[in-house]
Amino acid sequence: MTSDASPPGPVLFVDDEADLREAAAQALSLAEIDVRLCASAAEALPHLSAEFPGILVIDIRMPSTDGTALMRAALERDARDCR
Amino acid sequence: MHASDDTEGPRADPHPTRGAGLRPWRVLWAVLALAATLAVVAQPRIEARYLARAGQADTATMRLATEVLRGALERTEALPALIAERPILAQLLRDPENEGLVPFTNELLRQSAFSLDVSDIYVMDLQGRTVATSNYRAEWSFLGQSFAYRPYFTDAISEGLGRFHALGTTSGQRGYFFAAPVIDQTELLGVVAVKITLDRFEETWANSDSTILVTDSSNVVFLSDRADWHFRTLGPVPEPAIETIAENRQYPLEALVPLDARRTPLDAEMDLLTVTGPDGTAEEFIMQTSLIAAPGWRVSILTPTAPAIAQAWTALGIAVLIGAVGVLLAAVALQRRAQLIERIARQHSAQAELEARVRDRTRDLDAANTLLRAEVEERRATETRLRKTQAELVQAGKLAALGQMSAALSHEFNQPLAAVKAYADNADTFLDRGRVAEARDNVGRISVMADRMAAISRHLRNFARRPQDKTGPVPVAAVIDDALELMAPRLKASGAHVDYGPPDPALHVTGGRVRLQQVIVNLISNALDAMEGRAIKQIAITMTGDGETNGTCAITVRDHGPGLSEAALAQAFDPFFTTKDPGKGLGLGLSISYNIIRDFDGTMTVANHPEGGAAFTVTLQRAERPAEARDSGLAAE
């Protein structure tokens, strides 16, 4: 939890499809859940910190690094940070 | 050897020809030999026949001569007895010295001889002395001569009739003598003799070619138209006969030389007589003989054999000639026939051979034909099968491509569907909360996405549909656009970049739009496969012929993959050839594409790009842009 910029949302949404990201953002906003949108794994990686408390929603089939790789990286980082 | 071989070389089989050529000659010689043998065997018979005929021709002559002679003798035979009855003879014999009676009697006898046509008439006393004669005028007159030595004198006295033939010792003429006694009142006073000369008969005989001779019982030739044979002997003269001849002074003994004659029997009536002359020349005659009993004469006619033999030879020659001509004609006929038969046989065999050869050739030809027909049939069937298989493969390839794409496609459809679902749900919530503008915005997004999905769906349908498309002008730009659209999900998923500058929409090539699109899709798909896992993922689509109106247009799709090995370059278009891992492809895509392009009368080649990667080039005929065609849209399909 940091005080700088906007408060970190609970959901990090990673998808290469712009429409899906937009729709997800709408739905989560309507549910008053904070959401952060990323178009690729590379874009999402900087957000994956030990402080990130929320939920990761990752599209599996994405160009370049696919969803599973991103998830594996997130789990790895989470396990290391939680130790 | 070689020469004969050479000359006979062209002939298939020289033997029949040679045989046919010689056989008639052989036959001819054989027949001639046979004819000669027959001639030799037959000649004696023929000759004998001709001799007999010649002899028969002379038989009548001989009979005539015999009868004339016999008639003359018989006529004369009675004369001495008739003359002896004249009284004056007795008177003269009783008074032989009477000067008046002798001349008178002589003249009387002369006239009688003349009228009786006899040679001489003379009267002898009992001592045989001639007291009166018809030839009293002749120098060699019988008057005063004694003929007591003659048998006719003694016979006349002892037997009443005397007959004799002899060479006249006084006259030198051959004569026949008849004698009769002059009897007066049972008193024997003398003998009257009548002589006829026989020389005149010979004169008539001389007219004939044949020789007539008269031999007496002593085998002495007494009469003959051949003077040199007079008094010659034919056969042995018995010793007592010679003595008698000498006694009677019948013939001059020194003349009795045997003729060198050989006699062989010819048949029952004729003999063959060969007489060899003093100079050694032999004469041959057919001899026939008849008998005149009273004087014991044998009248023979000798017919020369030479003409008969010549006739026989001529006849034989003619017969042989006729035979030879006949044989020759027969031989010629036989040869002709043999040649004809041979020619027919040869023609038959040639025909048979020809037929056999034709049959052989035809059989081969038939077999070849049948084989060819079978091959053509098989080939046609194979082609049909191939076309069918190819069509099936095209379809299968498309299905395979579809299958390959299905994952990407489902992702591609699911994403917008999920988005649509979310937008719709959100719109519903926006409306609940009175946020109409946002709801409307969402509906707009949904509409756009539906359009997008419809587009994808349409591309898919076109791709999967069996090609019914006709070959014609196809807009290159539209086809490539469609292909890229179709491949967009995969391109995006793989992160590959397509380097492509769309050509003039007017650029058209000859082909089928759907099938060409299928080829381009296949090439892009292959390019993506080749670049999987590689750092640089770039596809370059270039083309030549842009902006031109004729010639060809070459579309090249180049990837940045590992390129193809030399073996792979050679087999790239072979069916079921693939460099992909098992399960990733059937290896049919390029083969199908290749055949599609070929169907468009185009070519498809592959090469490694000098800067790496493979480059597939499709070359098609440029086509006029159809007037009604538009530069975009799939309506043409």
Side-chain angles (χ1 to χ4, degrees):
Chain A
M1 292 291 211
T2 54
S3 57
D4 62 72
S6 53
V11 172
L12 181 65
F13 192 89
V14 185
D15 201 314
D16 59 324
E17 268 307 304
D19 282 312
L20 273 178
R21 287 200 304 274
E22 182 58 32
Q26 279 181 9
L28 290 168
S29 301
L30 286 169
E32 292 177 348
I33 297 169
D34 196 12
V35 63
R36 218 171 275 180
L37 301 173
C38 293
S40 67
E43 206 176 314
L45 276 173
H47 298 282
L48 293 178
S49 62
E51 297 88 45
F52 184 77
I55 300 160
L56 278 169
V57 178
I58 309 170
D59 182 18
I60 292 174
R61 292 194 61 154
M62 284 189 299
S64 308
T65 317
D66 72 359
T68 45
L70 179 62
M71 185 186 72
R72 209 169 288 122
L75 288 173
E76 205 174 289
R77 189 167 296 184
D78 190 46
R80 192 185 55 210
D81 292 348
C82 291
R83 219 179 293 133
Chain B
M1 182 80 184
H2 284 294
S4 79
D5 281 353
D6 287 343
T7 53
E8 290 187 357
R11 290 183 181 162
D13 185 3
H15 298 294
T17 316
R18 189 188 294 157
L22 280 181
R23 204 185 313 128
W25 285 113
R26 223 177 272 160
V27 168
L28 196 63
W29 283 120
V31 167
L32 282 177
L34 187 69
T37 311
L38 280 175
V40 166
V41 170
Q43 200 274 337
R45 292 160 187 275
I46 294 171
E47 198 179 288
R49 198 182 162 79
Y50 270 86
L51 289 175
R53 196 191 290 175
Q56 281 157 14
D58 270 352
T59 304
T61 310
M62 181 193 70
R63 294 240 169 91
L64 185 67
T66 307
E67 290 311 311
V68 166
L69 209 51
R70 183 184 285 140
L73 293 178
E74 282 175 357
R75 190 163 49 84
T76 314
E77 189 179 338
L79 292 179
L82 288 174
I83 294 166
E85 303 228 331
R86 295 196 175 190
I88 195 164
L89 295 186
Q91 211 178 330
L92 178 68
L93 286 168
R94 284 186 189 280
D95 184 10
E97 306 302 325
N98 188 319
E99 292 292 327
L101 278 176
V102 171
F104 180 77
T105 309
N106 278 346
E107 186 55 28
L108 183 74
L109 292 176
R110 195 187 65 83
Q111 286 175 11
S112 296
F114 184 78
S115 59
L116 291 172
D117 191 27
V118 298
S119 173
D120 305 287
I121 303 172
Y122 49 102
V123 181
M124 292 162 283
D125 60 19
L126 289 171
Q127 284 71 49
R129 194 176 60 91
T130 307
V131 290
T133 174
S134 59
N135 55 30
Y136 68 97
R137 287 179 182 173
E139 282 177 26
W140 42 267
S141 170
F142 291 176
L143 270 178
Q145 292 202 39
S146 174
F147 295 107
Y149 56 89
R150 295 293 201 191
Y152 59 85
F153 176 74
T154 49
D155 286 350
I157 289 173
S158 58
E159 293 166 27
L161 177 66
R163 56 197 311 156
F164 187 60
H165 64 275
L167 176 69
T169 49
T170 309
S171 64
Q173 291 181 320
R174 281 158 299 158
Y176 200 94
F177 305 85
F178 288 99
V182 180
I183 299 167
D184 182 34
Q185 315 272 318
T186 69
E187 186 188 354
L188 181 69
L189 294 176
V191 170
V192 173
V194 175
K195 177 190 176 186
I196 53 170
T197 56
L198 302 171
D199 298 26
R200 57 189 171 120
F201 292 105
E202 291 180 335
E203 284 164 25
T204 59
W205 299 344
N207 295 331
S208 154
D209 286 339
S210 305
T211 300
I212 293 173
L213 53 87
V214 176
T215 51
D216 65 10
S217 53
S218 305
N219 290 328
V220 176
V221 177
F222 180 60
L223 291 175
S224 174
D225 51 324
R226 286 185 66 156
D228 55 327
W229 286 4
H230 291 164
F231 310 117
R232 304 291 293 272
T233 57
L234 259 180
V237 181
E239 201 61 36
I242 292 176
E243 282 176 24
T244 311
I245 290 165
E247 238 172 72
N248 301 339
R249 298 198 226 162
Q250 192 175 10
Y251 313 121
L253 280 176
E254 68 278 3
L256 299 181
V257 180
L259 272 173
D260 185 1
R262 203 175 68 251
R263 204 161 159 177
T264 49
L266 189 66
D267 61 22
E269 287 160 3
M270 300 175 200
D271 288 332
L272 206 61
L273 186 73
T274 310
V275 179
T276 309
D279 55 350
T281 54
E283 287 178 281
E284 203 178 41
F285 303 96
I286 306 144
M287 185 177 184
Q288 301 175 78
T289 303
S290 67
L291 199 67
I292 303 177
W297 284 357
R298 291 194 301 279
V299 180
S300 300
I301 187 159
L302 302 184
T303 313
T305 57
I309 289 173
Q311 277 180 345
W313 277 111
T314 306
L316 188 69
I318 288 170
V320 166
L321 213 62
I322 289 172
V325 167
V327 165
L328 206 65
L329 288 176
V332 167
L334 278 175
Q335 192 184 11
R336 287 243 176 108
R337 191 160 165 272
Q339 279 176 346
L340 192 68
I341 287 169
E342 195 192 335
R343 196 165 61 229
I344 289 171
R346 212 159 31 200
Q347 279 173 353
H348 272 303
S349 78
Q351 203 175 332
E353 198 184 332
L354 194 68
E355 281 174 3
R357 210 175 290 168
V358 166
R359 214 157 34 232
D360 277 356
R361 294 274 163 85
T362 313
R363 195 188 301 132
D364 289 352
L365 207 64
D366 272 350
N369 230 357
T370 311
L371 202 68
L372 208 65
R373 211 174 293 133
E375 272 175 16
V376 165
E377 206 52 51
E378 198 179 333
R379 206 169 164 139
R380 198 171 292 149
T382 307
E383 212 165 292
T384 311
R385 211 160 47 234
L386 196 68
R387 281 187 189 285
K388 202 175 154 210
T389 308
Q390 216 168 52
E392 283 167 1
L393 282 178
V394 168
Q395 192 62 16
K398 285 193 294 193
L399 291 175
L402 265 181
Q404 209 173 1
M405 285 192 295
S406 63
L409 283 171
S410 66
H411 179 73
E412 197 64 20
F413 275 108
N414 285 339
Q415 277 187 334
L417 279 174
V420 165
K421 172 75 173 146
Y423 279 137
D425 288 349
N426 293 345
D428 194 31
T429 311
F430 284 139
L431 287 175
D432 284 349
R433 300 190 186 171
R435 293 159 69 174
V436 178
E438 286 166 296
R440 188 172 288 124
D441 190 38
N442 269 19
V443 170
R445 289 171 196 269
I446 287 166
S447 177
V448 167
M449 296 189 77
D451 283 347
R452 220 179 84 191
M453 287 189 289
I456 292 169
S457 156
R458 196 164 57 237
H459 284 307
L460 273 178
R461 196 190 67 227
N462 285 341
F463 181 79
R465 197 168 61 192
R466 250 183 205 281
Q468 300 293 330
D469 59 333
K470 284 173 263 174
T471 304
V474 174
V476 178
V479 169
I480 294 175
D481 283 345
D482 283 349
L484 285 174
E485 182 80 27
L486 202 56
M487 290 303 290
R490 270 198 71 195
L491 286 167
K492 204 162 96 185
S494 66
H497 174 71
V498 176
D499 185 7
Y500 166 60
D504 183 350
L507 177 62
H508 279 62
V509 291
T510 302
R513 181 163 178 167
V514 177
R515 282 174 290 167
L516 183 56
Q517 181 190 316
Q518 187 182 343
V519 171
I520 303 297
V521 165
N522 180 248
L523 290 181
I524 294 169
S525 172
N526 275 344
L528 287 175
D529 290 338
M531 294 186 297
E532 199 170 84
R534 293 182 73 88
I536 305 168
K537 295 189 175 177
Q538 200 169 350
I539 296 171
I541 300 176
T542 56
M543 60 209 66
T544 63
D546 186 14
E548 292 168 20
T549 53
N550 49 24
T552 55
C553 168
I555 305 163
T556 304
V557 178
R558 181 214 163 180
D559 61 44
H560 279 75
L564 291 163
S565 71
E566 212 161 298
L569 281 175
Q571 299 177 72
F573 301 120
D574 289 354
F576 300 105
F577 174 80
T578 181
T579 54
K580 295 171 192 170
D581 295 332
K584 285 282 179 83
L586 291 172
L588 291 171
L590 278 175
S591 167
I592 291 165
S593 297
Y594 181 84
N595 283 313
I596 288 170
I597 296 305
R598 213 182 49 180
D599 284 350
F600 297 160
D601 286 333
T603 56
M604 186 166 178
T605 55
V606 60
N608 283 323
H609 196 275
E611 290 164 26
F616 287 86
T617 302
V618 170
T619 306
L620 292 165
Q621 293 296 319
R622 287 286 311 272
E624 277 296 321
R625 177 189 188 183
E628 74 281 11
R630 295 182 10 185
D631 57 351
S632 66
L634 298 166
E637 294 281 284

